[in-house]
Amino acid sequence: GIVAGAGFAWSASSADEPPAPDLAALLDRHVFEPAGEPPLGAATLELANAYLPTSQGSRNGSALFYLLLFAGEDLAAPRFAGVTAESLEESVEILDRADGLLASARSGRSAGLSARELAWVSSLLRFACRLGRARLERGRDQPLAALPRRARKDLRRELEPRIDEHRALWLARSRPGGLEDSTRRLNRVRDLLT
């Protein structure tokens, strides 16, 4: 969005028929490589598209995000209409491609902060897919608490290190303000899995 906005500001008429820029190359040139990161643009774009298979035209979030933010709701709510076993599998395939790009971008170099952040995003989206599949198997109209105890325990064990990593990544780039609020959202999911 920032790249497109800058281009349209430079040449407003280009908004009439926007060119198809190589966004991955632009991200690498202007965002990642100047900071000493490996080329991460293509992985970023894959991660940005991971929600698409589950999308039902939501404007302020995605079904993968909602699986975490509204973990207490049953999946019969309209916001989860696009969540199916097939759509979640398609999202996982996109995440697999992103992880492959991240792995090749990081090979031979130490993982910089941006690479760690993108790997965290991928792992949390993958967790959301796993949570969604487990919930679908139990039944769309069933609450999270209806998952078998063992499944909830396994999911909780998978989420906990992601919460710790969230804290570390947040503090590496941002002020502490907002950290507790965002962490509370993840902790709520963890607590629902108890």
Side-chain angles (χ1 to χ4, degrees):
I2 292 171
V3 170
F8 299 151
W10 184 261
S11 173
S13 63
S14 67
D16 295 335
E17 291 185 39
D22 183 351
L23 294 178
L26 289 171
L27 286 169
D28 288 335
R29 184 176 321 124
H30 299 291
V31 176
F32 297 117
E33 288 182 4
E37 292 281 353
L40 299 169
T44 301
L45 295 176
E46 287 288 351
L47 288 172
N49 290 327
Y51 79 98
L52 287 174
T54 63
S55 175
Q56 291 293 314
S58 185
R59 291 200 170 129
N60 195 24
S62 71
L64 297 179
F65 172 70
Y66 294 148
L67 283 166
L68 299 173
L69 189 64
F70 299 105
E73 290 184 6
D74 65 50
L75 299 185
R79 72 179 91 244
F80 300 115
V83 175
T84 65
E86 296 78 20
S87 68
L88 291 171
E89 186 56 39
E90 288 178 43
S91 289
V92 168
E93 290 171 10
I94 294 171
L95 294 171
D96 288 344
R97 288 195 303 269
D99 288 346
L101 291 166
L102 282 171
S104 65
R106 292 165 55 180
S107 65
R109 297 185 187 199
S110 62
L113 182 57
S114 295
R116 283 182 54 209
E117 290 168 332
L118 292 174
W120 179 83
V121 167
S122 181
S123 74
L124 195 62
L125 290 172
R126 193 176 293 277
F127 172 81
C129 291
R130 183 161 177 239
L131 177 65
R133 283 194 307 258
R135 296 198 59 201
L136 286 171
E137 287 173 11
R138 191 65 180 175
R140 191 173 276 282
D141 61 342
Q142 296 297 305
L144 184 58
L147 288 178
R149 184 173 176 265
R150 177 69 180 178
R152 289 194 322 269
K153 184 178 178 182
D154 289 347
L155 286 163
R156 181 183 170 117
R157 194 173 318 141
E158 184 178 336
L159 179 59
E160 286 173 339
R162 286 163 179 77
I163 295 171
D164 294 339
E165 180 72 353
H166 167 68
R167 286 180 167 284
L169 290 171
W170 182 290
L171 292 172
R173 192 178 296 274
S174 304
R175 296 185 327 244
L179 174 59
E180 290 311 313
D181 180 54
S182 64
T183 304
R184 184 174 32 255
R185 296 168 194 264
L186 294 172
N187 285 339
R188 182 173 176 270
V189 178
R190 182 201 63 206
D191 294 345
L192 287 168
L193 292 167
T194 300

